[in-house]
Amino acid sequence: MIDRERLRAALAELGFDDVRFAAAAPAVRGALPEWLAAGMQADMAWMARTGPKRLDPQLVLPGAKTGIMLGVSYRSEEHTSELQSHSFISYAVFC
């Protein structure tokens, strides 16, 4: 079992601003299939090709139990107003 608070503290020490956890289970609902069917992925054909994997982490990492999403803010005091709503980058890890 993951000690979430201990892991969150260790990741904060490494510079991550946000840490979230989610079950690595198939998506119950979501708009991805409709979004892909509407061609919203434009020239990113790989998104349609890998659509099922995006809905079920078990297709990529069988046996994974938890998804760990990591966020890093790249907002600076100097550019706060410009980046108000677009200042986060995120990463996902499954274990």
Side-chain angles (χ1 to χ4, degrees):
M1 179 63 73
I2 296 172
D3 180 342
R4 292 181 179 192
E5 293 312 310
R6 199 165 142 217
L7 180 57
R8 185 173 278 135
L11 290 167
E13 285 183 30
L14 291 174
F16 291 98
D17 299 305
D18 197 10
V19 179
R20 306 281 177 109
F21 301 89
V28 175
R29 61 190 166 112
L32 182 62
E34 294 83 15
W35 189 82
L36 292 171
M40 301 299 287
Q41 73 277 13
D43 63 350
M44 297 181 289
W46 55 269
M47 289 192 73
R49 215 173 36 250
T50 61
K53 292 178 182 179
R54 296 174 181 290
L55 297 172
D56 185 357
Q58 297 301 314
L59 296 176
V60 179
L61 295 167
K65 303 229 182 305
T66 304
I68 305 170
M69 284 62 64
L70 309 173
V72 177
S73 174
Y74 54 88
R75 179 183 301 169
S76 69
E77 293 302 317
E78 179 182 344
H79 297 102
T80 298
S81 62
E82 296 172 31
L83 302 172
Q84 199 67 20
S85 63
H86 299 87
S87 61
F88 230 83
I89 188 165
S90 61
Y91 306 91
V93 178
F94 291 93
C95 58

